[in-house]
Amino acid sequence: MMAKGSFVALALLMLTGCAVGPKYKRPPVVAPDTYRGVDPAGPPATGASIADEKWWAVFQDQQLQDLIKEALSQNYDVRIAAARVLQAQAVLGITRADQYPTISGGASTNSLGVPATKNLPSFQSSSNSVSLSLFWELDFWGRYRRATEAARASLLSTEWGQKAIISSLVSNLASAYFELRELDLEMEISQGTLASRRESLRLVEVRAKGGTTSLMDVRQSEQLVYTAAAAIPDLERRIEQQENFISILLGRNPGSVNRGKPLVENAIPPTVPAGLTSDLLARRPDIQSREQDLVAANARIGVAKAAYFPQITLTATGGYQSSALTSLFTGPAGFWNFGGQLVQPIFTGGRIRSNVRLTEAQQQEAVLTYQQSIQQAFRDVSDSLVAYRKNQEFRGQQQLLTAAAQDATRLAGVRYQGGVTSYLEVLDSDTRYFDAQLGLARAQLNERLALVQVYNALGGGWQQ
């Protein structure tokens, strides 16, 4: 009875014991009232944000959606992240198990026979037993509870890290797809320009044979043809390499990639809602992951401080023992043993103190890393917002430039046909028009890349 009473008392003491170490408090964060780079002519900031939209609502090209779905299931980084989550779950289970007693059972049988000697007769003996044993290190000071808290926070950090990888994958794949469609557009422009210049060369050669123009005009026309023709092999190289990059994101071997809408048909909104700055902390998976790292570092301080205090251990054994199996569970065969142990560190050469200082320094590093990641997040959003707005303005000017260059090329052709100017003016105008077309294609790409950057910087893309 005394043993049972002592066991219950110590168990209650363990359950009501304290957990040493600091309780977690989120560090103060200085958040701006609004994002720098928000369009001043746009709608006022509200709780709505483009990052709250699912990725298939933002990227409405069906082929791009199919590619993202494939990547989410086959991409190696995503699958590795999922394996890390499973590892963190297992670590949590292992750590949490230290809070509970370990109970093990055993059974043994032993027979002994000794032959007769000159001085001793022969004899035989047997021993049979079954038993249960218990070992329990009481968590009175919260060492294992703090360790479990740290492991649980590490699991959450890993899960948020998985979401960050998913968000990056969606953004990287969307950007790579838009870049591929822009290269396709450059190829279309180059092939159309090459066909037009070959026709112009044919007409110039006809005029040269008729004596109405010089061989110099023929050579200058050939330069236009060769310039357009030289751009095509380089574009073919870049297109295949971009397809290879996308294939790797999809978890495939390098190969071709199916296309959907042309680049200019992937519509983008004139303005994007950024939402409230306070919502960014809860939406960005990298910030959430850093905060959980901080929670884990904070809990490990408690684990280190618990080493200052005594370790209380309970052990108990009970079972049956008999010389015959038939009477193992009958008769007076039971036995039991109960004990407790307390171990108090006295001298450790400063090991415990140094370990506490180590965990406190690690916690301070985690605080600074968390605060730094928040500042970087606000910068990412501001950079992407201003890039989106200014890329739109640049694209508008590039459209005007392209239209002017197109008309200048038409007028130069008319003037050359009328004998008013030399073919050099046609050469210069056509070159400027070709460059303006390529510049417009890149400007249209940069608009869409900026949209992807805004969506990612605001914490979108991981929602499923």
Side-chain angles (χ1 to χ4, degrees):
M1 289 297 294
M2 287 296 294
K4 292 182 179 179
S6 300
F7 179 83
V8 173
L10 286 172
L12 291 174
L13 188 64
M14 185 276 295
L15 293 174
T16 58
C18 62
V20 298
K23 293 184 178 179
Y24 174 72
K25 293 182 180 179
R26 178 178 290 178
V29 176
V30 180
D33 296 331
T34 185
Y35 296 112
R36 187 183 185 193
V38 172
D39 188 353
T46 63
S49 171
I50 189 175
D52 295 325
E53 299 286 343
K54 305 295 191 297
W55 55 261
W56 55 86
V58 177
F59 309 120
Q60 297 186 0
D61 186 325
Q62 183 60 52
Q63 184 57 46
L64 175 56
Q65 292 178 3
D66 292 342
L67 293 175
I68 292 176
K69 290 176 184 177
E70 180 180 351
L72 291 177
S73 62
Q74 298 298 326
N75 179 267
Y76 280 100
D77 288 335
V78 172
R79 292 159 66 184
I80 290 171
R84 288 173 179 165
V85 170
L86 295 177
Q87 294 174 36
Q89 289 174 342
V91 170
L92 173 59
I94 294 170
T95 305
R96 185 169 50 199
D98 290 335
Q99 299 180 55
Y100 304 104
T102 300
I103 301 175
S104 57
S108 66
T109 180
N110 184 42
S111 297
L112 176 65
V114 178
T117 64
K118 182 177 180 181
N119 300 320
L120 296 173
S122 65
F123 69 92
Q124 294 182 345
S125 68
S126 63
S127 174
N128 305 282
S129 67
V130 293
S131 65
L132 286 176
S133 60
L134 177 145
F135 176 87
W136 194 3
E137 184 175 335
L138 301 182
D139 193 26
F140 182 75
W141 312 109
R143 174 186 176 189
Y144 295 126
R145 278 173 284 163
R146 288 298 192 194
T148 301
E149 180 184 348
R152 185 177 293 108
S154 295
L155 170 60
L156 292 175
S157 175
T158 306
E159 290 176 341
W160 280 110
Q162 180 187 28
K163 292 180 175 68
I165 289 175
I166 291 173
S167 179
S168 296
L169 175 62
V170 170
S171 299
N172 290 339
L173 187 53
S175 297
Y177 179 79
F178 289 145
E179 290 172 358
L180 177 62
R181 298 305 282 136
E182 190 273 337
L183 291 173
D184 291 338
L185 179 56
E186 285 194 33
M187 177 65 77
E188 182 182 337
I189 293 170
S190 298
Q191 289 175 338
T193 300
L194 177 60
S196 175
R197 289 179 177 181
R198 280 175 173 169
E199 178 61 19
S200 297
L201 174 61
R202 187 187 67 80
L203 295 176
V204 171
E205 289 174 337
V206 169
R207 294 188 58 173
K209 289 179 181 179
T212 58
T213 189
S214 66
L215 184 61
M216 177 61 72
D217 291 349
V218 175
R219 294 293 178 260
Q220 290 175 337
S221 182
E222 287 175 343
Q223 291 178 37
L224 291 176
V225 171
Y226 299 149
T227 300
I232 291 177
D234 185 61
L235 283 171
E236 290 173 340
R237 172 190 63 80
R238 292 166 62 193
I239 286 173
E240 284 198 27
Q241 290 177 342
Q242 189 68 13
E243 287 181 323
N244 292 343
F245 175 64
I246 293 176
S247 297
I248 297 303
L249 290 178
L250 299 175
R252 304 179 189 168
N253 289 325
S256 61
V257 175
N258 294 330
R259 271 71 154 175
K261 295 179 180 179
L263 179 68
V264 294
E265 292 184 16
N266 280 274
I268 58 175
T271 59
V272 290
L276 301 175
T277 58
S278 57
D279 293 338
L280 185 66
L281 306 185
R283 192 189 303 114
R284 285 258 306 210
D286 58 330
I287 294 178
Q288 290 281 6
S289 179
R290 292 291 181 270
E291 183 174 11
Q292 293 304 321
D293 289 340
L294 174 56
V295 173
N298 189 79
R300 293 189 187 104
I301 296 176
V303 176
K305 287 186 174 181
Y308 279 120
F309 301 98
Q311 297 180 6
I312 303 172
T313 304
L314 300 180
T315 58
T317 305
Y320 296 91
Q321 183 174 355
S322 174
S323 60
L325 285 174
T326 55
S327 60
L328 183 61
F329 297 104
T330 62
F335 70 92
W336 62 267
N337 175 57
F338 175 80
Q341 183 181 28
L342 183 148
V343 177
Q344 169 65 54
I346 297 176
F347 177 75
T348 61
R351 180 187 300 274
I352 297 176
R353 181 176 65 253
S354 296
N355 192 40
V356 171
R357 290 176 178 175
L358 172 63
T359 56
E360 289 175 341
Q362 290 172 336
Q363 189 263 357
Q364 292 171 9
E365 179 187 356
V367 169
L368 296 174
T369 302
Y370 172 65
Q371 294 173 330
Q372 182 185 47
S373 65
I374 292 174
Q375 282 193 344
Q376 183 61 45
F378 285 126
R379 180 196 170 184
D380 292 343
V381 175
S382 296
D383 286 351
S384 61
L385 287 173
V386 72
Y388 187 70
R389 182 158 49 89
K390 294 304 178 181
N391 278 323
Q392 285 184 314
E393 295 176 8
F394 180 83
R395 186 261 309 153
Q397 296 300 315
Q398 192 68 28
Q399 282 182 320
L400 296 176
L401 174 62
T402 304
Q406 182 181 23
D407 196 48
T409 301
R410 180 187 64 81
L411 293 174
V414 172
R415 284 164 57 83
Y416 174 72
Q417 294 293 332
V420 178
T421 186
S422 68
Y423 197 77
L424 184 62
E425 182 176 313
V426 175
L427 174 68
D428 181 67
S429 298
D430 193 273
T431 300
R432 291 177 182 273
Y433 178 47
F434 181 49
D435 291 341
Q437 285 180 293
L438 296 179
L440 178 58
R442 296 188 189 103
Q444 292 166 333
L445 167 65
N446 289 336
E447 275 188 293
R448 285 150 183 83
L449 293 181
L451 176 65
V452 175
Q453 291 169 359
V454 171
Y455 185 58
N456 179 256
L458 287 169
W462 57 268
Q463 303 91 334
Q464 301 298 315

